[in-house]
Amino acid sequence: MITNLTQDNFQTEISNGLTLVDFWGEWCSGCQRLSAVLTSVAPLFSDNQIKMAKLNVNQNKQIAEAYQIMSIPTMVLFKNGEPIEKITGYLPREVLIDYLNNRTSQPSD
């Protein structure tokens, strides 16, 4: 499942564990391709390893600006509410799976 984020639920949704947030826009073709990848990958991590979420940058400009999102698609990995990594651009499905597997297998702080 992919959670749709807004100004109202952003902090609550990213506050616990690992959350991968896809910053996207409706007009962005790379975002549409990445959305399909995220939809296919989300079930693989649905056992609470990593929460998947999306934030429309046009509807939530303040959040995008706060995290210095300069181009989309951009994904930010949050750990307990803090951004720990930023990935700009499209990632193919297998590359994204490898990336997420590497993040879930790291020892916790």
Side-chain angles (χ1 to χ4, degrees):
M1 183 176 119
I2 299 176
T3 303
N4 286 313
L5 301 177
T6 65
Q7 186 79 30
D8 296 333
N9 70 352
F10 185 80
Q11 288 300 325
T12 302
E13 292 293 337
I14 68 165
S15 65
N16 293 314
L18 292 172
T19 305
L20 184 68
V21 178
D22 172 26
F23 290 82
W24 69 284
E26 293 174 9
W27 48 268
C28 168
S29 62
C31 298
Q32 293 168 5
R33 289 183 17 234
L34 182 59
S35 180
V37 169
L38 287 171
T39 299
S40 73
V41 168
L44 302 176
F45 296 89
S46 64
D47 60 354
N48 295 325
Q49 294 178 59
I50 297 180
K51 181 189 298 185
M52 306 283 182
K54 297 174 65 77
L55 181 95
N56 184 315
V57 297
N58 294 327
Q59 297 171 356
N60 301 280
K61 291 179 180 174
Q62 289 179 326
I63 296 172
E65 289 172 6
Y67 292 99
Q68 300 176 350
I69 306 302
M70 303 297 179
S71 63
I72 54 175
T74 292
M75 293 178 285
V76 177
L77 183 62
F78 291 87
K79 183 175 184 178
N80 298 324
E82 296 297 321
I84 58 172
E85 289 185 320
K86 184 186 285 188
I87 305 160
T88 301
Y90 170 82
L91 289 183
R93 184 177 191 274
E94 294 306 318
V95 173
L96 182 58
I97 290 170
D98 287 345
Y99 169 80
L100 295 172
N101 279 329
N102 287 332
R103 298 314 168 276
T104 59
S105 63
Q106 292 179 353
S108 56
D109 297 336

